[in-house]
Amino acid sequence: MLRSFFASVVILLSFALFESAVLSNVNMLPAVPDFLLICTIYFASNNGKLYGVSNGFASGLILDFLTAAPLGLHCIVRTIIGYSCGLFNKTLNLNGIFLPAVMGAVATLSKALIIWILSAVFPISVNHYSIFSVGFLFELSANTVLTPIMFKFLDIFRNTLVVDQEKVS
């Protein structure tokens, strides 16, 4: 299980660097697709709640250090999403296109909702999404389209990333 967790953290770090160093500098993009969120969905839905919480927290911590957001904002958002996706462990068939796309869209909408709620509680330090802005709609559509593609890509590393539940119990 530790090998799988550290392999997933390496993948999260790689995508975080790709997002912050490459995609954030492309001027044509109104928003950057959230590859870390998609990876968290994949890890949680294949390995369960505990794995989803720990990877959600790790991806949030990585983002908190790379962005100017308040420390812990991304951690709480991605921990909640990781736990929620972990509830569907081994119950959904994620080999197709439709269910991963729906999961990506729902997770992106959930992220915006959680950040909106946190911005209502902490109005000075947390900036929320404008749901009908071009940036959010682009991020929503990009995450929806990229989630099945990312799931297929991460399936290449399935032997390393997915924990065999019979061995853990």
Side-chain angles (χ1 to χ4, degrees):
M1 182 157 173
L2 281 177
R3 181 183 74 152
S4 175
F5 178 74
F6 287 122
S8 63
V9 169
V10 167
I11 288 176
L12 289 172
L13 280 170
S14 301
F15 277 113
L17 291 175
F18 177 67
E19 278 183 30
S20 63
V22 178
L23 291 180
S24 64
N25 292 321
V26 176
N27 292 332
M28 296 183 319
L29 295 177
V32 177
D34 198 347
F35 288 111
L36 295 179
L37 181 67
I38 296 170
C39 290
T40 301
I41 296 168
Y42 178 83
F43 300 143
S45 60
N46 283 307
N47 293 317
K49 297 178 287 197
L50 177 66
Y51 205 87
V53 166
S54 59
N55 269 298
F57 184 81
S59 70
L61 195 61
I62 291 168
L63 275 179
D64 282 338
F65 284 125
L66 289 178
T67 63
L71 188 63
L73 174 69
H74 294 293
C75 290
I76 189 69
V77 170
R78 288 161 194 278
T79 301
I80 293 170
I81 292 172
Y83 180 82
S84 301
C85 290
L87 292 173
F88 300 108
N89 179 26
K90 308 293 184 196
T91 59
L92 298 176
N93 182 9
L94 300 175
N95 294 329
I97 294 173
F98 181 71
L99 278 178
V102 168
M103 286 183 78
V106 168
T108 305
L109 289 169
S110 299
K111 179 178 84 167
L113 177 68
I114 295 167
I115 290 176
W116 181 78
I117 290 169
L118 289 173
S119 71
V121 175
F122 304 107
I124 295 174
S125 60
V126 178
N127 293 327
H128 66 279
Y129 284 101
S130 175
I131 300 287
F132 299 110
S133 68
V134 174
F136 177 73
L137 294 176
F138 177 80
E139 182 182 354
L140 177 65
S141 60
N143 287 351
T144 304
V145 169
L146 289 173
T147 301
I149 297 168
M150 284 291 298
F151 276 29
K152 295 296 182 198
F153 173 72
L154 292 171
D155 273 340
I156 296 170
F157 310 105
R158 186 172 187 82
N159 291 336
T160 305
L161 296 175
V162 177
V163 176
D164 188 13
Q165 297 297 333
E166 290 82 28
K167 290 181 182 176
V168 174
S169 307

